[in-house]
Structure formats: C-alpha cells, structure tokens
Amino acid sequence: MSPTPVSFSSPVAPAGYTWEATDEEVSARYGVPLDQVARFDLNTSPAPPDLAVRLLAANAFDRPISEYPPSDYRRLSEAAAARYGVARDQVLVGAGADEILDLIAKAFLPSGGAAVIPTPSYAMYRVDTEQRGAEVRAVPRLGPADGFAMDGPAVRAAARGANVVWLCSPNNPTGLAEPAGAIESLLDGLLEDAAGGTEGPIEPPIVVLDEAYAEFAGSSKVGLMATYPRLIVIRTASKAYALAGLRVGFALAGPDVIARLAPYRPPGSVAIPSVHIVTEALLDDGILAENLERVARERDRLSQGLTGLGWIVRPSVTNFVLVDFGTDARAAAVAEALLAHGLVPRTFGAGHPLAHCLRITIRSAAENDRLLAAAATLDLEEIA
Ligand SMILES: Cc1ncc(COP(=O)(O)O)c(C=O)c1O
C-alpha cells in the first residue's frame, strides 16, 4: 500500500491541489523534534543573508510600520530595474513571484480562454489558469536525454488561439534551462503565426518567462522583451537572494504590458520591512555571489554523494536536483524513509509524470550531510 502523502488540502483550491505539510505536521506525524525538520522540498536557501538579519535587528526601515508601504514602491522598483537591466516603468512589484503569476492570470486569462504549459513545470501555472476558468493546454516536455526541454513546435502549435504561454527556465522541477535559441525560436514562431492569421494579424499570446532560478544559471532572457513586446519575465528575491519569507517578486515587461497588469495589483501587498530589505539586497553585490558559490559547491557535493550511493541524480543548474528512482512506489518509499528522519523531499503525486522522482533542495552543508547519512542507510534494491 502506498503511503498517504503528507499534505494539507485547502477547501478553496482547485481540485487536486495540495499545499506542503508544515514543519509542525511533519514533526507530529513522524515523531521528529520540530527543530530536526529540514525542508528539502521548497527550493529555498537555508539561511538569510547577514545584511537582512542586521537590518531586521536594527528595526529601522524607510518608514515606520505604522504606515502603509509607498504605493509605487519607488526605491524597490528602481533597485530592481538597475539589478535586472530594465527601466523603472518596466517593473511591477508583487508579494512574491506567486502574486505576479496571479496578477498575470487575472489580467490576461479570461474565463473560457486558454493557456499553454510545457509540462511538468511549476504547479501554480495550472492552478492560476484553472482559477480563471481557462483551459490548460499541457504540452509534454522531452525526456531526460533532451534535458527535459520544451517541445518547441508542439508548444507553438498549442499556442494558436491561446491567451498565455507559461514558460519556466531554468525549469522547476527538472532543474535545467531551455537549450540555447529555443525560446527565441518559439517567440519568432508566435510572432509569425500572429502576423499570418487568416483574418488578418492578431495579437500574439502573452508569454510568461518565469526566471525564478535565473541567477543560479547565470543568464537571463530579459533582453527578448525588445523583440517580443508581449513577453513578461518574472524574477524573485526568494531563491538566489535567500529571502523567501519576505515575499517579494517582480514582473519585468514593456510599459504597455505593465500598465495592463497594474490595475490588478493590491495597493500594498509587500510589507515595509520586505520593501526595505529587498531594496538593500538588490543594491548589494556580495549577497548573490556568496549564495551562488555556496549552492554550486553543495550541489556538486550532494549530487556526487548520492550518485555514489546508486541514486540517479539528474544534472541541475539550480538550487535543487531531481532524483529518479525508476518506479513511483520506490520514490514514495524513499520519501517516507527520509521523512522518518525529519528530512522532507518534494514528492509528486500519483499520475504526475515525475511520480517516480523526488526533488531535493540544496540545503546547508550540515543538513545535506544528514540527507547523505539517511540515504546511506537505504538499500534501493530492497525498497519496493
Ligand atoms: C518557478 C517558480 N516560480 C515562482 C515561485 C514562487 O516564488 P515566490 O517565492 O517569489 O512567490 C517558485 C517557488 O518555488 C518557483 O519555483
């Protein structure tokens, strides 16, 4: 019998979507002390930058927390614009990339519309699409031998008449970026299709390029906004900046597209401490370099260690790796064994194309050591 996944179902989420279990739920269910629960499932970084800790301790933000944040997030938008190489009117601030995804769905996905998702990818694209009452056109990605790349011609075909195409590069949960030129060719094709409509030119779909993990890969496609005016690039402070708890993300797009999104934005969803700390973090060059170096070093060490134990670890340019266990039952059994140690991997439920895999976040050296030690006690041949 396969174990019941550790999850919490919201009564308001679209059918089939569950949130991850909390630390407290894991602790209670597996009898592990709360401080021994380690999150290998959320693709966060294990510790915030010193700069953020200092600013929080100083308790001195741009303005008192008795006030609302500035309605234009001016300094934060300027810092993001400078960091990402765009103009200030090409930036929209949100409470995490997740709020940006929600705003895009509200602005561009009418009920009865359609969105294309190269699958598997980040779960919220489907959730946001379904919440709008729009159709999900899932296009299977190529296999591991092709780096789980999107199937460009199939995505282009599915995009005919669609409102939105959700792209993610590097992709969560597969860990690699799209191959060189793939996104450019897709955008060219979409422009060609829009120009050559049988009843005259039509607007090409909005293309969302979620670059939540771009810093780890060291490259961005934000420059493509110049050739594809309906491109929205998404960035976040949650991953490479190690500030997920502050909930700050950005949409980068042409001023016209930003103006279409802006009316859906709540006036002050990003709290004053978050605005202040992320502004300073974006202006600082050191934070990023330090975390990127740490992640790359630990990713190599963890991948090599697990490979040495016979685990099939897929290559990754991100702060997580995908591990292939061959069968759904074995992946589920390994997840249960890790959970018994308080180590929480990301599982993919029955029916998911990666149900035979687990996704594992690169954590601190000490936490990664705990994972390696737990993995060393498992005999994969014996399991399931
Ligand atoms: C691809 C992708 N986009 C967006 C997010 C959400 O990021 P944020 O914390 O900025 O809401 C995640 C988080 O895991 C992600 O993997």
Side-chain angles (χ1 to χ4, degrees):
M1 202 182 77
S2 66
T4 315
V6 183
S7 61
F8 164 75
S9 297
S10 162
V12 295
Y17 188 72
T18 53
W19 273 273
E20 67 281 351
T22 62
D23 292 4
E24 288 77 5
E25 285 170 320
V26 173
S27 166
R29 177 155 166 184
Y30 292 92
V32 177
L34 193 55
D35 64 0
Q36 288 298 298
V37 175
R39 303 306 303 222
F40 286 87
D41 59 334
L42 298 175
N43 295 349
T44 48
S45 293
D50 290 346
L51 171 81
V53 176
R54 264 200 324 275
L55 289 171
L56 269 177
N59 196 22
F61 306 116
D62 304 55
R63 57 171 70 190
I65 58 172
S66 49
E67 302 302 322
Y68 287 111
S71 59
D72 61 356
Y73 302 115
R74 191 185 178 95
R75 278 194 72 227
L76 177 57
S77 304
E78 280 170 359
R83 172 58 60 189
Y84 301 133
V86 299
R88 191 168 70 87
D89 63 358
Q90 296 177 316
V91 177
L92 186 93
V93 173
D98 279 342
E99 185 174 67
I100 300 290
L101 299 176
D102 181 61
L103 299 180
I104 292 170
K106 285 179 174 148
F108 294 108
L109 261 180
S111 169
V116 180
I117 310 176
T119 303
S121 198
Y122 183 48
M124 291 310 292
Y125 310 143
R126 170 179 285 275
V127 172
D128 287 326
T129 303
E130 289 179 348
Q131 280 178 349
R132 306 310 304 156
E135 175 203 349
V136 172
R137 297 184 185 167
V139 178
R141 288 179 172 274
L142 305 180
D146 295 299
F148 297 103
M150 67 174 166
D151 180 343
V155 171
R156 176 176 170 182
R160 298 216 169 93
N163 308 82
V164 171
V165 178
W166 301 104
L167 303 182
C168 186
S169 181
N171 185 47
N172 173 11
T174 48
L176 292 176
E178 293 297 347
I183 294 174
E184 288 82 346
S185 318
L186 174 66
L187 298 182
D188 287 348
L190 296 177
L191 286 176
E192 218 175 281
D193 291 345
T198 44
E199 287 159 30
I202 51 162
E203 257 191 337
I206 285 286
V207 174
V208 179
L209 176 56
D210 187 339
E211 291 193 333
Y213 301 95
E215 291 91 345
F216 297 112
S219 69
S220 166
K221 299 274 178 206
V222 72
L224 294 178
M225 272 161 48
T227 51
Y228 194 89
R230 285 168 65 77
L231 180 68
I232 305 176
V233 173
I234 296 183
R235 303 298 289 263
T236 178
S238 294
K239 307 299 181 181
Y241 282 93
L243 292 170
L246 294 183
R247 311 302 304 126
V248 180
F250 304 95
L252 312 176
D256 293 353
V257 173
I258 295 290
R260 291 272 306 273
L261 283 174
Y264 294 89
R265 174 173 78 75
S269 58
V270 184
I272 284 174
S274 300
V275 172
H276 183 92
I277 294 169
V278 172
T279 302
E280 298 306 321
L282 287 170
L283 294 172
D284 184 290
D285 289 326
I287 292 178
L288 207 51
E290 203 178 300
N291 198 34
L292 296 183
E293 195 269 326
R294 183 196 65 78
V295 168
R297 184 169 14 94
E298 281 298 306
R299 185 180 61 221
D300 289 350
R301 192 175 73 86
L302 188 64
S303 300
Q304 279 165 21
L306 293 175
T307 305
L309 295 169
W311 290 27
I312 299 186
V313 182
R314 299 289 176 207
S316 165
V317 294
T318 63
N319 66 336
F320 58 86
V321 290
L322 191 68
V323 185
D324 188 337
F325 292 95
T327 68
D328 300 9
R330 191 178 291 140
V334 171
E336 282 299 299
L338 295 176
L339 279 158
H341 293 269
L343 311 170
V344 190
R346 171 71 156 90
T347 54
F348 303 97
H352 190 285
L354 295 175
H356 57 291
C357 297
L358 298 177
R359 195 193 65 200
I360 293 178
T361 304
I362 310 305
R363 301 287 305 178
S364 67
E367 286 181 330
N368 296 338
D369 281 343
R370 282 182 60 201
L371 186 90
L372 285 166
T377 66
L378 302 176
D379 182 347
L380 289 187
E381 297 301 315
E382 294 263 296
I383 293 180

